[in-house]
Amino acid sequence: LGVPNEPLRFRDALGDFKHLVPKEHQRGPELLHALDGRQADDRELDRAERADDPEERVGFVRGAVELAKLASKAREILYLFLPFLPTTRLIRQQGWPADTPVGLYHHAQQTDRLLFVSQTAQRAGLYPGLSVADARTHCVSAQFHAVEPDKDRACLLALAQWCRRYTPLAGIDECGLWLDLTGASHLFGGYEAVQTDIITKLSDAGLDVSSAV
C-alpha cells in the first residue's frame, strides 16, 4: 500500500518518552498503517525533541499519540480476496474450458501438495494441502500443474494497476489486493459504492472475488 516496511519512526522515538504517556495509549503507534498519520506523528515528535520545556515536550508526545489514534480509525481499507485467480489464469492461458478442475501444487513435506484449486476442483473434493497422488484418485479428470508464483504475481500487479483508477494506494499479497480508499471514495459515491463497483467489474470479467473492510 505504499507504507514503508521499516519500523515507524514514531514507535522508535516514543520509546524515549514512554514513561510520560498513559499506558492505554502506549500501543497507539502499532495501529498505524497510514502515511498521513505517520507524517503527522513525526512532526509532533520533532517538536517534542526540540522543546526545552518538559511540560511542552509531554504535550507534543501526547498529541502525537492522539494523532496516531485518529489516523488509525480514519482509514478506509478494502481487501479483495481472489482465491481462484491462479487457477483461472492457468485455465485461460491453456485455453481449457472454464469448468476444468485444476490443482496447482508445490513441493512440501517431501511430496507434491496442492496450494491452489479451482472452484470445480473444490466441488470435487480437492483442497489445498492434499497430496497430488491423493488428489488424482479423488478427481481423475483434474489437470495438475506446478505453481507459477511469478505469473500469479504479475497478474495481481496488473489488477492492482487497474484499481488505481479508484485510489493511488493499491497493493497485493499472495491471494488478493489491498486498497486504501481514504480521501478518494467520495469521488465515486462513497466507500460502499466503490466496493460494489469493483466487485461487479471483476465478477463481470469472470473472476471470483469477495471483499472485507
Side-chain angles (χ1 to χ4, degrees):
L1 289 174
V3 180
N5 291 324
E6 72 270 12
L8 296 177
R9 179 177 178 276
F10 180 37
R11 183 183 304 169
D12 295 335
L14 187 61
D16 296 334
F17 309 105
K18 197 168 184 179
H19 65 286
L20 302 176
V21 181
K23 289 184 178 180
E24 63 269 22
H25 293 170
Q26 289 180 5
R27 293 180 60 84
E30 298 177 13
L31 302 176
L32 278 180
H33 298 287
L35 287 175
D36 292 343
R38 180 176 188 246
Q39 292 165 353
D41 296 326
D42 283 350
R43 285 195 297 269
E44 289 296 293
L45 286 171
D46 285 341
R47 294 170 183 169
E49 290 168 355
R50 293 194 301 268
D52 295 326
D53 184 1
E55 291 187 5
E56 185 179 13
R57 179 173 296 184
V58 172
F60 283 131
V61 173
R62 287 178 175 165
V65 172
E66 292 305 316
L67 285 169
K69 291 168 65 181
L70 289 172
S72 66
K73 291 179 181 179
R75 313 311 294 180
E76 291 183 341
I77 307 297
L78 176 65
Y79 181 65
L80 302 172
F81 184 46
L82 298 150
F84 303 110
L85 183 62
T87 54
T88 300
R89 175 196 58 77
L90 182 64
I91 288 171
R92 294 183 180 181
Q93 177 184 309
Q94 298 295 332
W96 296 332
D99 61 351
T100 301
V102 174
L104 300 180
Y105 62 84
H106 66 149
H107 195 74
Q109 299 176 355
Q110 301 181 340
T111 189
D112 292 333
R113 295 187 179 277
L114 298 181
L115 187 60
F116 300 105
V117 297
S118 65
Q119 286 179 295
T120 307
Q122 188 179 69
R123 288 194 292 267
L126 306 190
Y127 55 89
L130 184 68
S131 70
V132 173
D134 289 339
R136 292 186 189 279
T137 64
H138 278 78
C139 186
V140 295
S141 62
Q143 298 283 347
F144 297 96
H145 196 283
V147 294
E148 299 175 302
D150 290 343
K151 292 183 179 180
D152 294 334
R153 177 178 174 80
C155 191
L156 283 167
L157 286 172
L159 287 173
Q161 184 65 34
W162 176 81
C163 286
R164 290 182 188 276
R165 67 186 62 195
Y166 301 100
T167 172
L169 297 178
I172 68 172
D173 62 19
E174 188 179 51
C175 295
L177 307 169
W178 292 92
L179 307 179
D180 187 345
L181 299 172
T182 308
S185 61
H186 70 281
L187 300 174
F188 303 93
Y191 183 87
E192 292 183 0
V194 175
Q195 184 179 21
T196 300
D197 190 54
I198 293 175
I199 291 177
T200 299
K201 284 182 167 62
L202 292 179
S203 298
D204 289 346
L207 300 179
D208 185 276
V209 56
S210 56
S211 64
V213 177

